[in-house]
Amino acid sequence: MSELNILINTIEAKLETLIKKIETIEEEKLELERRLSIEIDEKNAINEQLNQLKLNYDSLKYANSLLGSEEHKRETKLKINSLIREIDHCISQLSK
């Protein structure tokens, strides 16, 4: 009987150790999920800021070319032509 008690006590001790490890791992998992969520939010904010900066850059580039800069004159002409085509398309849609 004592061997059985020793075996049961050993199994109980190992189970307690495993339960503690599981709890520790679950806590680590929750912390990692929280950190991942924060990182994703920061990444999204940075991407949004990057997109806004790109829009500002494009606007400044077009404004600069309209003011006489030769650097982006071709791009501005293409953009204006594209806008004119869109306006013509809209007018034709309204005429139908």
Side-chain angles (χ1 to χ4, degrees):
M1 250 344 216
S2 70
E3 286 182 27
L4 186 58
N5 285 338
I6 293 172
L7 186 60
I8 290 173
N9 289 338
T10 305
I11 290 173
E12 285 178 350
K14 288 182 179 182
L15 281 175
E16 286 178 18
T17 304
L18 286 175
I19 290 172
K20 287 179 184 177
K21 284 182 180 180
I22 288 172
E23 289 172 351
T24 303
I25 290 172
E26 286 176 346
E27 289 173 6
E28 288 176 6
K29 178 186 170 227
L30 289 174
E31 176 63 21
L32 289 173
E33 286 174 345
R34 184 189 67 78
R35 287 176 43 199
L36 177 62
S37 176
I38 290 170
E39 293 294 328
I40 288 172
D41 290 343
E42 287 178 4
K43 178 186 172 266
N44 289 337
I46 289 171
N47 281 339
E48 182 65 32
Q49 185 180 15
L50 177 64
N51 289 335
Q52 186 62 42
L53 288 172
K54 283 180 181 179
L55 288 173
N56 289 346
Y57 172 74
D58 288 340
S59 296
L60 289 172
K61 190 167 59 172
Y62 294 131
N64 192 24
S65 65
L66 289 174
L67 292 173
S69 171
E70 294 295 325
E71 277 183 48
H72 307 289
K73 194 174 245 182
R74 181 180 186 286
E75 290 179 29
T76 303
K77 285 180 182 178
L78 292 174
K79 181 69 175 176
I80 290 171
N81 288 337
S82 172
L83 292 172
I84 290 171
R85 280 192 296 277
E86 286 181 34
I87 291 170
D88 287 342
H89 179 72
C90 291
I91 290 171
S92 69
Q93 292 289 331
L94 289 173
S95 298
K96 292 181 181 181

